[in-house]
Amino acid sequence: MDFDAIFDGQLSKLKEEGNYRIFAELERQCGEFPRAKSYGEDTPDEVTVWCSNDYLGMGQHPTVRAAMKNAIDSAGCGAGGTRNISGTNHEHLLLERELADLHKKENALIFTSGYVSNWAALGTLGARIPDVVILSDELNHASMIEGIRHSRAKKVIWRHNDPEDLNRKLSALPVDCPKIVAFESVYSMDGDICPMKEIVEVAEKHGAMTYLDEVHAVGLYGARGGGISEREGLANRITLIEGTLGKAYGVMGGYVTGSEALCDFIRSFSSGFIFTTAIPPAVAAAARSSIAHLKVSEIERQKQRRQVAKLRAGLDAAGIPHLDNSSHIIPVMIKNPVKCRQLADILMQDYGVYVQPINYPTVPKGTERLRFTPSPLHTDADIHHLVNALTTLWKRCAIAQEVA
């Protein structure tokens, strides 16, 4: 059988639909974020990155870089294996203590990515808690969906950010069955923030465990960067808080925090933890340094918020549609996969602006967008340049200036 023909056929269909993804070949320039060197033939040598999830530029912060380099000199590069065999290092435990303190929980458990931490934790909880029902917000991330699917637990979907629908779904379940309410704080594609207090109150009313994904909020919100749950004073009422080290903290890895028993339960039964090589000690050290810095520094968060507000104001003045939300994520709606790709290409080639088009299956068909994430290191001149470029292209591409 010609397997390559199967692969090529499906790839061709993806290209015809306008949903084939092309990755720009970039090299981040140390100390120059958000500038990056471009290796594309038809692009400027240097571009400005506008879609990074390194939301605060911490991946190049001097303190974080020094922590990683010092840990390499001290402990070498790799972890040595899985945590269960020879890969548990002192830096792993120090990082877990830092994370537990961040969310005011008894313990934490680190994973290789936020995707893995969601998949492993939800997969384990759903599989190991007898007769559990997981109630999942309809716009939860793919990692949560895959974890629930892997667990084979009964799943109930509730309408996005709708506590009343969640209450109805919980009320329809047997009173004595275990229940987990799984949701996110900041949803990465629309940038909307959940009504957390109302969701927690509904879950508590029904005796349900709460599972909160804070990956797009940790480091960014709350007095110490503990996320929306810290900002709203709700962290102590949430059973499990999951997050990432690869976005606002600028490194890589994922984690869960909760009670001693909960973390030990996941550590002991999760195949996604047991059989995975641990993150390098140097990565753990860098992440710990980043978390510790953002627990006491407001400078990065305050400047980021100012730049987010300036970009929104510029887009409004130019009549360029973007979803209204109270987060740091600015989705500019295109609603056509081909035009979305074209705009991204022209921005890169003619203006030195890099933004990755967001198409299906990341977002539903017809809601294609360019997703901008201003950082504290984007200058006012960067914002002015971006708005001018988008204004010119909007006219050239004749895109309807409205948001559905």
Side-chain angles (χ1 to χ4, degrees), residues 9 64 163 209 395:
V64 178
M209 171 182 171
K395 297 172 183 176

Side-chain angles (χ1 to χ4, degrees), residues 194-212:
C194 76
M196 192 176 294
K197 185 172 185 290
E198 292 84 351
I199 292 171
V200 170
E201 287 176 346
V202 168
E204 288 176 341
K205 172 184 169 183
H206 294 275
M209 171 182 171
T210 40
Y211 184 110
L212 172 63

